[in-house]
Amino acid sequence: MKKTYQILLICLMIAALLASGLPGSLVQAESEQAAAPKAEGSADALNLLEKTYSEKLQEWSEVPIIPNANIIVSPAKDVENAALLVSLQDSFNYGQETLRWNKDAKITFDIHVEKTGLYQLAFDYYMLDDSILPTEGYLQINGQYPFYESRHILFPSRWENKPLAEKWDRYGNELLPRSQKVKLWQKVYAMDSSYFHMEPLKFQLKEGLNTVTLVNTRGELLLGDVRVEAPAQIQTYENYLMSFPAEETGAERIDTLLITEAEQLLYKNDSSIRAASSRDSKVTPYETNKLLLNMIDAGSYEEGGQSLTWELEVPQDGYYQIALKYLQNTQYDLPVFRRIELDGVVPFREVDNYAFPYTKKWRNETLGSEDKPYQFYMTKGKHTLSMTVNLSHMRPLAEDIFAKMREISRMTLEIKKLTGNKLDLYRDWNLLEYMPELDKQLSSWADDLDQRFEEISLLNPKVKEIGEIVNLKLASKQLRSLAKDPNELPNRLNLFSEGSASASQLLGTLLQSISESPLALDRIYVSQDGKLPSPNAGFFKKSGETVKRFFLSFTKQSYSSSNKINGELEVWVNRPRPFVELMQKMIDEQFTPESGIAVKLSIMPDENKLVLANASNRQPDVALGVSNWIPYELAIRNAAMDLRQFAGYEESIKRFSKGAIIPFSFEEGVYALPETQNFWVLFYRQDILDSLKLSPPDTWQDVVEMLPELQRLGMNFYEPLAQYKGFKPFNATTPFIYQFDGELFDESGMNTAIDSEQALEGMKFMTDLFTIYNLPQDVPNFYHHFRYGTMPVGISDFNTYIQLKAAAPEIANTWKIALHPGVEKPDGTVARWAPTGGQTGMIFKGIDYAEESWKFLDWWLSTPVQVEFANLMQTTYGMTFMWNTANLEALEQVPWPEEDKEVISEQFKWVREPSRVPGAYMVEREISNVWNRVVFNGDNPRTAIDDAVVRTNREIMRKMEEFGYYANGKMIRPYPVPTISSIDKWVERK
């Protein structure tokens, strides 16, 4: 592989020499190629795939909608599906045989229509699994995806809050109920999974026979009938009133206000929608000295398609007004929208996309128009009211932003072709000679953004400019500035497409923002007279509550580290309150009754103060959620306890990756255990790579070989070094050193080893990726580029995984993860070494309850406890609260997709954290400096490394002397550098 790199380097050098001799002709040739119409094979990333649903609707504008169409198809009767058949007895009272649709199962059925037209598809289904992940799949018609959105069809579950046996925590605060899945037959239309289109998807079916294929990508359910229907039209409010009896003059009206607390749900379609505690005294229920669940948390009720349902009961037939007490102070000046249904249907068009304006304080919103409340007819008895997050008003803006980002990306590629992707502030470019419409194009984009800004501003005519969409103005301003002097664009790409303040990044941030629609709810009012209580407390009530809380602040505070009680283990947790509440409940229900050891959790004020707490003898017994570099700093200062001394340590450590233990090792001891663990894997867009006939790269050689094809089409590969501005941390640089068999330190620990031939080869390749192979040097947000297809493959971590799972539903079935690219060895194995980071648990020295602390730490990190906690976190708080446990046995059981767990588990075999020695921070800093010198200044790698070694060794010697390992030019005592081999020596593995 090394020889291949050398050959490529020589070729590129020859090309560079030719270019330097013929600059005019070369640039002109490149510019002519750029200015020429795109060849059929030169389409950008998105054009490699199917058209979007919006584009297909325009294409189908002349295709008729067939009225009154209602065709019922039973896939269970198709012989091709016989292997999936479920008997009538096992079909949960459906009344006929059904099909079991599980992972990778394919169901096909034929639909015969008499006329070509647009139809909707609805499915009867019964959820079988207990996973919190939605069941999903893709849909094809006649062997083809009809549009891009058909790659991801969701089958949502219904959830309800499960009452708790014990409703209150040890401090008297109300605990959050757990969600449980309701299993029943449901009906769902094929929908756009991003819910920018709120109406069911329309499919063109040709006259005669059409074959529909459904393939499961996750989950398990029973599939009943499929209904082919004509798109329904929602009636107007005027027609709605005409369909019910007119209200009789003088009829008796009830004057009672019917109140439903919003947090008292009947059911929801997302387990993560949850109640929260508000300290506003007018939010009910409320107590000064307790935290009560009294509202729907806005942050959990903001994603397109999320739905809540309540049960209402009215005492008599008649017309009623419906009002909601809400708070929407997140989307500045921008209303949020909800679809409102009564008894499962939208009663009239005016509430299909109802606006809830921005408000800084709680507000009563009576559903109506221009101060005239809508009248909803309800018969005596129980009814259901549902509210669904509706993003359709934001769809035109989202599509326009997406298009502009694609165009900006394409133009950036053309500019880099002309300039050779070299930034030179002292060189003038004449871009207009080769791109004569450049200034007009930039101005046109700015005009489009300004027009879109005006259109969105109509949603709130009371303000001059909507603050939430100010990024449109900022991006437009930058584009106009660039249009004034387009020849300077190569030197101003940081304002155009690269960097956190670029026009492209501003639009990407806005796109994420408008995909969210948060709304907090306190109460639902149903009345006939429309009289409602004030939504906010008056001055005197607020003042009284402030005084009460002031005096209560001097009393015992929940989860505070200042209230240590004798006889209880004091455990500091460096996590938010929701984590701590759930952990304390599990401890009180399981650990304390089983062990007899009382444990009090406290929210850690600042993990950096652990050293100070130990110095003042106020340290806790155990600390959880501690960054993985802190235990070493405490151990070398004799403040942490060696865990190897405890019985059961040998069994406990087998649960974790050996390489993850390295940073907790000091001399012959281990001073912490990993609690959570990050991972670095390859993310790739299967849809785009398939279109390009490319496979996900397995080695770095594969990466190099796929780059020309990606870059030819305006795409690229993402390497995490591009995420960091100036300083490149170990987690981004050490993979190249370890994969090429290099080391950070020599065996004595007194010198760095980054000047070895192996380390030099790895660091040279690390810089070649950016200087020779043209990887982007600055990528503030890989998630956006991956989502929009400009970087369809790259290396990233757990945070990106969560973002894609939670906030990119439109590409849910089109991306996958694979093992980290590595270096192939002579025996055929691929070295994929990469660090993980994460958080740890540790025990402090000098405490009274050492054995009890170890029993607690061992219990908390055990497999059953980690699995239960992971399930509870995800069920209660949603996908963004996935628990990345470091316990390898627990990882196999957490509610993640099986194929992803297999990849992550395999990658964890290649975990290798940097060894810790006094002065290691200087090695990290100097490796970063080497990268910057080589990539930005063009320095020779060997020279840069030699200079780095001198500075690093000087600092290591200084720190070794400080900690008593070195004095008077001699080593006083050896410093053992921890490695995976030393971890193995300490544990006798089975």
Side-chain angles (χ1 to χ4, degrees), residues 907-981:
Q907 183 60 45
F908 278 169
K909 297 178 182 178
W910 293 97
V911 170
R912 185 175 178 186
E913 290 289 337
S915 303
R916 301 288 175 178
V917 306
Y921 58 85
M922 184 58 74
V923 182
E924 186 174 29
R925 185 185 307 170
E926 287 302 325
I927 294 175
S928 175
N929 290 340
V930 167
W931 188 92
N932 289 325
R933 287 179 58 183
V934 174
V935 174
F936 293 135
N937 301 337
D939 289 3
N940 181 276
R942 168 65 78 178
T943 303
I945 291 173
D946 288 344
D947 293 343
V949 168
V950 173
R951 288 188 290 268
T952 299
N953 287 342
R954 185 187 306 127
E955 181 65 13
I956 291 176
M957 288 299 179
R958 189 182 72 82
K959 297 300 290 185
M960 286 290 189
E961 187 172 3
E962 176 184 338
F963 288 103
Y965 292 92
Y966 187 84
N968 301 320
K970 296 182 179 180
M971 180 188 295
I972 299 174
R973 55 194 176 105
Y975 184 93
V977 179
T979 63
I980 290 180
S981 298

Side-chain angles (χ1 to χ4, degrees), residues 66 68 114 142 149 174 237 260 272 294 401 535-536 572 583 679 688 715 878 898 938:
I66 310 302
N68 303 318
E114 295 182 356
N142 298 323
E149 286 78 359
E174 189 174 3
Y237 178 57
T260 301
S272 65
N294 52 15
I401 289 175
N536 296 289
W572 287 7
M583 292 169 66
F679 53 78
I688 294 177
M715 296 176 279
E898 291 299 324

Side-chain angles (χ1 to χ4, degrees), residues 7 31 191 219 242 259 264 462 525 587 625 824 875 898 982:
I7 294 171
S31 62
M191 300 285 292
M242 294 172 60
I259 301 173
Q264 300 298 323
K462 295 181 180 179
Y525 299 112
I587 292 166
E824 188 172 0
T875 303
E898 291 299 324
S982 60

Side-chain angles (χ1 to χ4, degrees), residues 488-504:
E488 281 296 309
L489 193 51
N491 296 330
R492 301 179 70 190
L493 288 179
N494 62 318
L495 296 179
F496 184 57
S497 59
E498 300 177 352
S500 58
S502 65
S504 180

Side-chain angles (χ1 to χ4, degrees), residues 714-760:
M715 296 176 279
N716 217 322
F717 182 92
Y718 171 75
E719 214 294 318
L721 282 160
Q723 173 185 342
Y724 304 100
K725 295 293 183 183
F727 178 70
K728 314 294 182 183
F730 271 151
N731 67 299
T733 59
T734 54
F736 295 98
I737 295 175
Y738 290 147
Q739 289 178 15
F740 281 84
D741 300 323
E743 296 289 342
L744 295 179
F745 308 99
D746 63 13
E747 292 184 0
S748 72
M750 298 291 174
N751 300 287
T752 182
I754 60 174
D755 56 345
S756 68
E757 288 302 318
Q758 295 87 346
L760 174 62

Side-chain angles (χ1 to χ4, degrees), residues 335-385:
V336 299
F337 297 87
R338 295 294 184 268
R339 166 176 287 177
I340 296 172
E341 296 173 299
L342 193 61
D343 295 325
V345 296
V346 180
F348 43 87
R349 193 180 304 160
E350 287 78 357
V351 294
D352 182 51
N353 202 3
Y354 193 85
F356 290 84
Y358 171 81
T359 175
K360 294 181 179 179
K361 55 185 180 180
W362 288 97
R363 169 175 170 173
N364 289 331
E365 175 69 20
T366 300
L367 303 181
S369 175
E370 299 179 354
D371 298 326
K372 185 176 181 181
Y374 294 135
Q375 302 294 323
F376 296 85
Y377 188 83
M378 286 185 272
T379 57
K380 178 182 178 180
K382 295 181 179 180
H383 298 265
T384 59
L385 175 72

